[in-house]
Amino acid sequence: MVFAPSSLTGSAVAQASALQKIAAEAAARQKQGVLRPTLPHRRQLPLRVGTRASPLALVQTRAFLTMLTRFCPVLRDMGAFQEHQINTTGDQVQNRRLAEIGGKGLFAKEIHDALSDGRIDFAVHSLKDLETTLPPGLVLACTLRREDARDVLILRPGEGRRDAVDPAVPFDVLPRGALVGCASVRRQAQMLHERPDLRFGLLRGNVQTRLDKLAAGQCDATLLALAGLRRLGMGDRADIILDPEVMVPAAGQGIVGVTVRESDAELRELLAAIEDYEARAVSTAERALLAELDGSCRTPIGGYARLVNDARGGGPVLRLTGLVAREDGSFLLRRVVTGAPADAERLGRELGHSLRADSPADIFAP
């Protein structure tokens, strides 16, 4: 999938023009025989992009680079980007829950290290895997247009009737005592709240690995993000798409984020030109919610924001749904707030504070 560039604001147009000039000058130097053309001041090409080595991460990274070259075509044929695949701890350890080995930040630790010490220039992440507090000196410079944020239920071949699903109670398609392969406490808690008879087993790995294990009969069903399936061209594998009010997605799900060094003004300006306004607003609200709850991978937390039309005819309104639960589904609290997109961070923090105040303290125990 190739991301379509967002509409450009006046400042973004100016940044785009500056980027075009920088790239054109670099191309001219390359044509004159300079093997490693330099951008004004200190920038050298190629720009080094860090990414996880999973198939989905590579698809997302290459789509992002395609977007940059469409935005600035002169970069296309000059070897402007160099891909660095980085094997993270989260990818290496597949037989334990993330919470047991250090949390979801393990999908980014080695990438952050490479960015901090200058081995790469920027890094591409699935935003839901990026911790809310970044290491000192690193910033989230850009968020790209969100793909569908919903979760999907995928059934083992021959399991359940896919044509007879009530969207309000989609888990009823599973037989009593069905085994669900899952590594997410957020998904597990929401399913168990509705179906306490279900059983859960650990299922980690990339998308294809999980689907292969499902087909081999290791479980009766599993859950995946629709965004990942679509980006891999596998959207048809989604048996049941879950309404976000039934299964609240993870904060940042479906959004690609790009991190850079805080001191790198040139790259921050470049990336600001392709920032998606809506993705930035909703991700700011969702990540603020997550930060306020201070949840670990042991805490089932959901956060999903979207922009909706104001019924009174005004500008868009940000609608944020937040969820906190116990892993066994015995407690679940879901609330919604609305407000101006410009107040995204405040809305997220206020909702997080409200959810924390009315939840049992043991849910947030380290």
Side-chain angles (χ1 to χ4, degrees), residues 86-116:
I86 299 173
N87 197 14
T88 70
T89 302
D91 292 311
Q92 295 168 20
V93 182
Q94 296 290 326
N95 60 352
R96 299 169 65 191
R97 288 184 181 271
L98 289 176
E100 298 173 359
I101 59 175
K104 68 180 181 179
L106 293 181
F107 283 126
K109 181 182 182 302
E110 288 81 1
I111 298 176
H112 288 331
D113 291 344
L115 187 56
S116 294

mmCIF file of all heavy atoms in Angstrom, residues 86-116:
data_model
loop_
_atom_site.group_PDB
_atom_site.id
_atom_site.type_symbol
_atom_site.label_atom_id
_atom_site.label_comp_id
_atom_site.label_asym_id
_atom_site.label_seq_id
_atom_site.Cartn_x
_atom_site.Cartn_y
_atom_site.Cartn_z
ATOM 1 N N ILE A 86 16.710 -3.777 11.789
ATOM 2 C CA ILE A 86 17.239 -3.948 13.142
ATOM 3 C C ILE A 86 16.413 -4.998 13.866
ATOM 4 O O ILE A 86 15.197 -4.873 13.983
ATOM 5 C CB ILE A 86 17.219 -2.608 13.904
ATOM 6 C CG1 ILE A 86 18.109 -1.584 13.170
ATOM 7 C CG2 ILE A 86 17.674 -2.788 15.345
ATOM 8 C CD1 ILE A 86 18.029 -0.178 13.733
ATOM 9 N N ASN A 87 17.087 -6.027 14.342
ATOM 10 C CA ASN A 87 16.418 -7.111 15.052
ATOM 11 C C ASN A 87 16.258 -6.726 16.519
ATOM 12 O O ASN A 87 17.230 -6.569 17.240
ATOM 13 C CB ASN A 87 17.238 -8.396 14.925
ATOM 14 C CG ASN A 87 16.440 -9.630 15.276
ATOM 15 O OD1 ASN A 87 15.216 -9.587 15.370
ATOM 16 N ND2 ASN A 87 17.133 -10.738 15.492
ATOM 17 N N THR A 88 15.018 -6.544 16.965
ATOM 18 C CA THR A 88 14.765 -6.072 18.325
ATOM 19 C C THR A 88 14.564 -7.245 19.281
ATOM 20 O O THR A 88 14.261 -8.364 18.873
ATOM 21 C CB THR A 88 13.529 -5.166 18.368
ATOM 22 O OG1 THR A 88 12.362 -5.966 18.145
ATOM 23 C CG2 THR A 88 13.607 -4.076 17.319
ATOM 24 N N THR A 89 14.716 -6.952 20.572
ATOM 25 C CA THR A 89 14.499 -7.979 21.593
ATOM 26 C C THR A 89 13.075 -8.512 21.529
ATOM 27 O O THR A 89 12.834 -9.703 21.697
ATOM 28 C CB THR A 89 14.777 -7.401 22.989
ATOM 29 O OG1 THR A 89 16.111 -6.909 23.035
ATOM 30 C CG2 THR A 89 14.593 -8.459 24.066
ATOM 31 N N GLY A 90 12.112 -7.619 21.265
ATOM 32 C CA GLY A 90 10.719 -8.050 21.166
ATOM 33 C C GLY A 90 10.494 -9.054 20.056
ATOM 34 O O GLY A 90 9.626 -9.930 20.149
ATOM 35 N N ASP A 91 11.292 -8.951 18.981
ATOM 36 C CA ASP A 91 11.179 -9.906 17.876
ATOM 37 C C ASP A 91 11.913 -11.207 18.187
ATOM 38 O O ASP A 91 11.513 -12.277 17.734
ATOM 39 C CB ASP A 91 11.756 -9.296 16.595
ATOM 40 C CG ASP A 91 10.919 -8.141 16.073
ATOM 41 O OD1 ASP A 91 9.697 -8.315 15.963
ATOM 42 O OD2 ASP A 91 11.479 -7.072 15.801
ATOM 43 N N GLN A 92 12.995 -11.108 18.949
ATOM 44 C CA GLN A 92 13.821 -12.283 19.221
ATOM 45 C C GLN A 92 13.158 -13.258 20.178
ATOM 46 O O GLN A 92 13.278 -14.474 20.024
ATOM 47 C CB GLN A 92 15.176 -11.849 19.793
ATOM 48 C CG GLN A 92 16.033 -11.049 18.836
ATOM 49 C CD GLN A 92 17.218 -10.413 19.535
ATOM 50 O OE1 GLN A 92 17.624 -10.832 20.615
ATOM 51 N NE2 GLN A 92 17.778 -9.369 18.932
ATOM 52 N N VAL A 93 12.450 -12.742 21.183
ATOM 53 C CA VAL A 93 11.841 -13.591 22.212
ATOM 54 C C VAL A 93 10.359 -13.759 21.904
ATOM 55 O O VAL A 93 9.575 -12.827 22.034
ATOM 56 C CB VAL A 93 12.030 -12.975 23.617
ATOM 57 C CG1 VAL A 93 11.435 -13.897 24.672
ATOM 58 C CG2 VAL A 93 13.505 -12.718 23.894
ATOM 59 N N GLN A 94 9.961 -14.950 21.483
ATOM 60 C CA GLN A 94 8.595 -15.194 21.026
ATOM 61 C C GLN A 94 7.794 -16.098 21.952
ATOM 62 O O GLN A 94 6.590 -16.280 21.744
ATOM 63 C CB GLN A 94 8.627 -15.820 19.627
ATOM 64 C CG GLN A 94 9.216 -14.924 18.563
ATOM 65 C CD GLN A 94 8.321 -13.745 18.237
ATOM 66 O OE1 GLN A 94 7.098 -13.847 18.280
ATOM 67 N NE2 GLN A 94 8.919 -12.604 17.927
ATOM 68 N N ASN A 95 8.438 -16.682 22.972
ATOM 69 C CA ASN A 95 7.755 -17.663 23.808
ATOM 70 C C ASN A 95 7.332 -17.118 25.165
ATOM 71 O O ASN A 95 6.977 -17.871 26.062
ATOM 72 C CB ASN A 95 8.637 -18.895 24.007
ATOM 73 C CG ASN A 95 9.964 -18.562 24.691
ATOM 74 O OD1 ASN A 95 10.288 -17.379 24.878
ATOM 75 N ND2 ASN A 95 10.721 -19.577 25.056
ATOM 76 N N ARG A 96 7.384 -15.783 25.324
ATOM 77 C CA ARG A 96 6.975 -15.167 26.589
ATOM 78 C C ARG A 96 6.207 -13.896 26.281
ATOM 79 O O ARG A 96 6.420 -13.259 25.249
ATOM 80 C CB ARG A 96 8.199 -14.844 27.464
ATOM 81 C CG ARG A 96 9.010 -16.054 27.846
ATOM 82 C CD ARG A 96 10.335 -15.667 28.462
ATOM 83 N NE ARG A 96 10.167 -14.977 29.737
ATOM 84 C CZ ARG A 96 11.166 -14.341 30.372
ATOM 85 N NH1 ARG A 96 12.380 -14.311 29.836
ATOM 86 N NH2 ARG A 96 10.941 -13.748 31.521
ATOM 87 N N ARG A 97 5.319 -13.507 27.203
ATOM 88 C CA ARG A 97 4.602 -12.248 27.046
ATOM 89 C C ARG A 97 5.574 -11.086 27.162
ATOM 90 O O ARG A 97 6.571 -11.152 27.885
ATOM 91 C CB ARG A 97 3.514 -12.108 28.116
ATOM 92 C CG ARG A 97 2.316 -13.024 27.931
ATOM 93 C CD ARG A 97 1.275 -12.724 28.987
ATOM 94 N NE ARG A 97 0.104 -13.571 28.884
ATOM 95 C CZ ARG A 97 -0.949 -13.286 28.148
ATOM 96 N NH1 ARG A 97 -0.971 -12.166 27.441
ATOM 97 N NH2 ARG A 97 -1.977 -14.102 28.102
ATOM 98 N N LEU A 98 5.247 -9.989 26.459
ATOM 99 C CA LEU A 98 6.109 -8.810 26.506
ATOM 100 C C LEU A 98 6.285 -8.304 27.928
ATOM 101 O O LEU A 98 7.364 -7.834 28.308
ATOM 102 C CB LEU A 98 5.531 -7.701 25.623
ATOM 103 C CG LEU A 98 5.619 -7.923 24.117
ATOM 104 C CD1 LEU A 98 4.911 -6.784 23.389
ATOM 105 C CD2 LEU A 98 7.060 -8.022 23.667
ATOM 106 N N ALA A 99 5.226 -8.365 28.729
ATOM 107 C CA ALA A 99 5.299 -7.865 30.098
ATOM 108 C C ALA A 99 6.349 -8.606 30.916
ATOM 109 O O ALA A 99 6.930 -8.053 31.851
ATOM 110 C CB ALA A 99 3.934 -7.990 30.768
ATOM 111 N N GLU A 100 6.621 -9.843 30.563
ATOM 112 C CA GLU A 100 7.570 -10.655 31.312
ATOM 113 C C GLU A 100 9.012 -10.351 30.942
ATOM 114 O O GLU A 100 9.934 -10.707 31.687
ATOM 115 C CB GLU A 100 7.285 -12.136 31.065
ATOM 116 C CG GLU A 100 5.903 -12.586 31.535
ATOM 117 C CD GLU A 100 5.596 -14.008 31.112
ATOM 118 O OE1 GLU A 100 6.456 -14.620 30.431
ATOM 119 O OE2 GLU A 100 4.522 -14.510 31.461
ATOM 120 N N ILE A 101 9.226 -9.699 29.810
ATOM 121 C CA ILE A 101 10.594 -9.448 29.358
ATOM 122 C C ILE A 101 10.923 -7.961 29.237
ATOM 123 O O ILE A 101 11.987 -7.598 28.746
ATOM 124 C CB ILE A 101 10.873 -10.152 28.012
ATOM 125 C CG1 ILE A 101 9.904 -9.673 26.930
ATOM 126 C CG2 ILE A 101 10.810 -11.653 28.174
ATOM 127 C CD1 ILE A 101 10.210 -10.247 25.544
ATOM 128 N N GLY A 102 9.988 -7.103 29.697
ATOM 129 C CA GLY A 102 10.321 -5.678 29.717
ATOM 130 C C GLY A 102 9.331 -4.746 29.064
ATOM 131 O O GLY A 102 9.546 -3.540 29.042
ATOM 132 N N GLY A 103 8.234 -5.262 28.474
ATOM 133 C CA GLY A 103 7.220 -4.372 27.924
ATOM 134 C C GLY A 103 7.380 -4.126 26.442
ATOM 135 O O GLY A 103 8.358 -4.519 25.802
ATOM 136 N N LYS A 104 6.377 -3.415 25.877
ATOM 137 C CA LYS A 104 6.340 -3.224 24.430
ATOM 138 C C LYS A 104 7.474 -2.348 23.910
ATOM 139 O O LYS A 104 7.766 -2.348 22.723
ATOM 140 C CB LYS A 104 4.998 -2.642 24.008
ATOM 141 C CG LYS A 104 4.729 -1.219 24.472
ATOM 142 C CD LYS A 104 3.371 -0.766 23.982
ATOM 143 C CE LYS A 104 3.074 0.671 24.402
ATOM 144 N NZ LYS A 104 1.764 1.113 23.914
ATOM 145 N N GLY A 105 8.158 -1.607 24.814
ATOM 146 C CA GLY A 105 9.297 -0.818 24.381
ATOM 147 C C GLY A 105 10.417 -1.655 23.801
ATOM 148 O O GLY A 105 11.321 -1.125 23.140
ATOM 149 N N LEU A 106 10.350 -2.982 24.021
ATOM 150 C CA LEU A 106 11.386 -3.867 23.481
ATOM 151 C C LEU A 106 11.302 -3.998 21.968
ATOM 152 O O LEU A 106 12.214 -4.523 21.340
ATOM 153 C CB LEU A 106 11.291 -5.248 24.133
ATOM 154 C CG LEU A 106 11.621 -5.284 25.629
ATOM 155 C CD1 LEU A 106 11.518 -6.696 26.166
ATOM 156 C CD2 LEU A 106 13.019 -4.736 25.888
ATOM 157 N N PHE A 107 10.213 -3.519 21.362
ATOM 158 C CA PHE A 107 10.147 -3.478 19.907
ATOM 159 C C PHE A 107 10.883 -2.256 19.350
ATOM 160 O O PHE A 107 10.988 -2.096 18.136
ATOM 161 C CB PHE A 107 8.693 -3.446 19.430
ATOM 162 C CG PHE A 107 8.012 -4.775 19.491
ATOM 163 C CD1 PHE A 107 6.821 -4.925 20.170
ATOM 164 C CD2 PHE A 107 8.556 -5.892 18.868
ATOM 165 C CE1 PHE A 107 6.172 -6.146 20.220
ATOM 166 C CE2 PHE A 107 7.926 -7.119 18.918
ATOM 167 C CZ PHE A 107 6.729 -7.247 19.606
ATOM 168 N N ALA A 108 11.348 -1.383 20.240
ATOM 169 C CA ALA A 108 11.982 -0.148 19.776
ATOM 170 C C ALA A 108 13.350 0.109 20.400
ATOM 171 O O ALA A 108 14.070 0.981 19.921
ATOM 172 C CB ALA A 108 11.067 1.042 20.055
ATOM 173 N N LYS A 109 13.718 -0.609 21.449
ATOM 174 C CA LYS A 109 14.933 -0.280 22.202
ATOM 175 C C LYS A 109 16.172 -0.221 21.316
ATOM 176 O O LYS A 109 16.924 0.762 21.325
ATOM 177 C CB LYS A 109 15.158 -1.288 23.327
ATOM 178 C CG LYS A 109 16.394 -0.981 24.173
ATOM 179 C CD LYS A 109 16.633 -2.018 25.241
ATOM 180 C CE LYS A 109 17.847 -1.646 26.079
ATOM 181 N NZ LYS A 109 19.084 -1.488 25.266
ATOM 182 N N GLU A 110 16.426 -1.292 20.557
ATOM 183 C CA GLU A 110 17.629 -1.313 19.721
ATOM 184 C C GLU A 110 17.567 -0.261 18.618
ATOM 185 O O GLU A 110 18.603 0.286 18.203
ATOM 186 C CB GLU A 110 17.812 -2.706 19.116
ATOM 187 C CG GLU A 110 18.255 -3.780 20.101
ATOM 188 C CD GLU A 110 17.115 -4.368 20.934
ATOM 189 O OE1 GLU A 110 15.961 -3.951 20.732
ATOM 190 O OE2 GLU A 110 17.393 -5.246 21.769
ATOM 191 N N ILE A 111 16.363 0.047 18.154
ATOM 192 C CA ILE A 111 16.199 1.087 17.134
ATOM 193 C C ILE A 111 16.497 2.456 17.748
ATOM 194 O O ILE A 111 17.181 3.289 17.138
ATOM 195 C CB ILE A 111 14.788 1.039 16.541
ATOM 196 C CG1 ILE A 111 14.552 -0.311 15.838
ATOM 197 C CG2 ILE A 111 14.577 2.189 15.543
ATOM 198 C CD1 ILE A 111 13.142 -0.495 15.309
ATOM 199 N N HIS A 112 15.998 2.695 18.958
ATOM 200 C CA HIS A 112 16.307 3.944 19.658
ATOM 201 C C HIS A 112 17.812 4.098 19.865
ATOM 202 O O HIS A 112 18.372 5.187 19.700
ATOM 203 C CB HIS A 112 15.616 3.977 21.015
ATOM 204 C CG HIS A 112 14.138 4.182 20.957
ATOM 205 N ND1 HIS A 112 13.515 4.874 19.954
ATOM 206 C CD2 HIS A 112 13.149 3.785 21.803
ATOM 207 C CE1 HIS A 112 12.213 4.896 20.176
ATOM 208 N NE2 HIS A 112 11.968 4.246 21.278
ATOM 209 N N ASP A 113 18.462 2.998 20.239
ATOM 210 C CA ASP A 113 19.909 3.056 20.465
ATOM 211 C C ASP A 113 20.645 3.468 19.191
ATOM 212 O O ASP A 113 21.560 4.300 19.221
ATOM 213 C CB ASP A 113 20.429 1.696 20.944
ATOM 214 C CG ASP A 113 19.965 1.342 22.355
ATOM 215 O OD1 ASP A 113 19.505 2.256 23.075
ATOM 216 O OD2 ASP A 113 20.068 0.153 22.732
ATOM 217 N N ALA A 114 20.232 2.881 18.066
ATOM 218 C CA ALA A 114 20.870 3.206 16.793
ATOM 219 C C ALA A 114 20.623 4.656 16.403
ATOM 220 O O ALA A 114 21.501 5.319 15.823
ATOM 221 C CB ALA A 114 20.364 2.270 15.693
ATOM 222 N N LEU A 115 19.448 5.169 16.712
ATOM 223 C CA LEU A 115 19.125 6.561 16.404
ATOM 224 C C LEU A 115 19.900 7.503 17.308
ATOM 225 O O LEU A 115 20.453 8.517 16.848
ATOM 226 C CB LEU A 115 17.618 6.777 16.566
ATOM 227 C CG LEU A 115 17.032 8.117 16.129
ATOM 228 C CD1 LEU A 115 17.368 8.430 14.674
ATOM 229 C CD2 LEU A 115 15.508 8.122 16.326
ATOM 230 N N SER A 116 19.983 7.179 18.581
ATOM 231 C CA SER A 116 20.681 8.049 19.539
ATOM 232 C C SER A 116 22.161 8.168 19.232
ATOM 233 O O SER A 116 22.749 9.252 19.363
ATOM 234 C CB SER A 116 20.486 7.522 20.968
ATOM 235 O OG SER A 116 19.136 7.604 21.361
#
